[in-house]
Amino acid sequence: MLYAKLSTCEFWMKEVQFLGHVISAPGIVVDPSKVEVVLLWERPKSVMEIRSFVGLAEKQLSDAKIQKIVKLLGYEKAKDFVMGMNRVLRFKNRVCIPKDPELKRVILEEGHKSRLSMHPIMTKMYHDLKESFWWSRMKHDVAQFISSCLTCQKAKVEHQKPGGML
């Protein structure tokens, strides 16, 4: 006993937008306007933008450990390191981050509070950041950052009070 209100119905449409997707005869695709919004987010899209954002090349120059690696470029000890055309050192195609607490904090905050993944757990955040960045003791720094996030600590089951006696 269902009825349709004809004044609100549309028939013979070529496509329908529903929950961020476009449904048509050929199939279902993501709504192009949603993709465009994501592409327009103000996030660094290239190494040059990242370098200009944080002064990465300059900070790498002042880091003693990174300079030791630069001197070993071309030798077996530094086989996974390369110097990019923009003078930014990379490890297995990941940007090497110098020992700069402020820079690491910015990267950790961006990875933890981005629009795409709000407050990820330690393992997820580490693997996400590991795709783009590398620094010594990175996993330890990520774990320490997550453990200091009050929102994450409140959400974890082991920190919530038990329901009591059943």
Side-chain angles (χ1 to χ4, degrees), residues 71-82:
K71 290 177 183 176
L72 293 172
L73 287 175
Y75 294 101
E76 184 65 25
K77 285 185 176 181
K79 67 178 181 177
D80 292 326
F81 291 90
V82 293

Side-chain angles (χ1 to χ4, degrees), residues 3 16 18 56 58 65-66 79 104 130 147:
Y3 297 94
V16 177
F18 181 70
L56 185 59
E58 292 80 13
K65 187 173 184 176
I66 288 181
K79 67 178 181 177
K104 289 178 184 178
K130 187 177 154 185
S147 68

Side-chain angles (χ1 to χ4, degrees), residues 162-166:
M165 296 179 61
L166 297 175

Side-chain angles (χ1 to χ4, degrees), residues 11 14 17 24 27 34 42-43 49 75-76 87 105 119 128 132-136 144-145 147 149 151 161 163 165:
F11 297 98
K14 302 261 184 217
Q17 292 184 344
S24 61
K34 304 293 183 197
E42 290 188 26
R43 299 183 63 153
E49 287 181 28
Y75 294 101
E76 184 65 25
R87 307 298 301 158
R105 184 188 59 77
H119 296 278
D128 289 348
S132 302
F133 304 104
W134 175 87
W135 68 81
S136 181
Q144 191 172 18
F145 183 85
S147 68
C149 176
T151 303
K161 292 182 180 178
M165 296 179 61

Side-chain angles (χ1 to χ4, degrees), residues 11-23:
F11 297 98
W12 301 285
M13 294 178 63
K14 302 261 184 217
E15 60 185 30
V16 177
Q17 292 184 344
F18 181 70
L19 296 176
H21 293 78
V22 178
I23 303 165

Side-chain angles (χ1 to χ4, degrees), residues 20-35:
H21 293 78
V22 178
I23 303 165
S24 61
I28 300 173
V29 295
V30 177
D31 187 352
S33 66
K34 304 293 183 197
V35 174

